[in-house]
Amino acid sequence: MSDARVLHFFGGKGGVGKTTLAAAYAVRLSEEVPKHRVLIISLDSVQSLSDLVKKKLPTKPTKLQAGKGEGGLFGAELNPHALLKPFLAEYLPALAKAAVKGTHLSDEEMGKLYQQAVPGLEELVALFHVVELLESGEYDRIVVDTAPTSHTLRLFDMPAQLRKFLGFVKAGQDRAAPAASGGKGKKAAAAAAEAAPAGFLEQVGQKAEKLLALLKDPARTAFHLVALAEPVPEAQTRMYFTQLRERGLPVTEVVVNQVEDHEGCPACQGRRGLQAPHVRKYQALDKNVPVNLLGRREVAPRGLDGLKEFAKEWSAGKETKALEFSAAEGPPALVRAPSMPPIAAPPLPPTRLIFFVGQG
């Protein structure tokens, strides 16, 4: 189950169980190498990781389970907004210094500059923080519980967008420098140099480059795609798989959660038959990407003890083999209901907007 990779992302549609699987994977890594410091960290704003481990997790990593020596399992739930404040305190002044209105960029370019200065940075700064924790040597492995599909895809696009944006800023600065030096001599050139982007922007650009390289390195990073064998999760998972591949991110496995076993009530067997074609579509994505199956549990694992037991069952690898679908398995025959007279629909209340909310 574990390997030499140091950064593991667990992603998928909301409600497929990625937080549970991410936490169980982190527990297993900690058990396998007790001397290592393993961190499970959540980027999901729902903060379900605290509920799962039955302990309120702060932004700063806290020890959940002791290992050998300084090793053990640590957990944290990041607050991207809190991380963004000190970042913006340096980022925005550096942008203002790099793009003096009327000197480096036109009014139109300045508007574009500040429109792109903040959106999406919260999550990206959180990802920068994860990489800093990894590179500091404080943790040997980091397992990341990501936000649902579309949100995470936007997050993985941010480093490239930021790199492009900073290139746009630098291009405006480069256009300004020759004009300044040619028109006013050495003093003007010195003034233009003083107005150059602060070293902070260069550091941000380097961080984006380093992050992109890490995300695309299959020797260091793994993406675990969590799914259910149902129509909507299947369609979204196949799209997610394709999008990750297009971005060059290494998908190492697809984990299909809550699969019905071969025994059980007639309704359970009916559900299993409905799951079969979806699992086969996952298996057809790429023959080099394993599809692992996990059975449906009456009681979902909670707390460190429950996660530890679940991690043992998962890592043994027996469930996938036991839950394999035979070629003959498929959806049960549909039974046509007897014809019935149409039922009049109840009148709708005079409501203009109806919101449906709840857990994924």
Side-chain angles (χ1 to χ4, degrees), residues 167-181:
F168 171 78
V169 175
K170 187 177 186 302
Q173 181 198 15
D174 291 342
R175 289 201 304 269
S181 60

Side-chain angles (χ1 to χ4, degrees), residues 24 27 31 65 301 303-313:
V27 169
E31 292 281 314
Q65 180 176 286
L304 289 177
D305 290 338
L307 288 170
K308 190 181 299 186
E309 184 62 30
F310 175 55
K312 284 182 181 178
E313 295 170 356

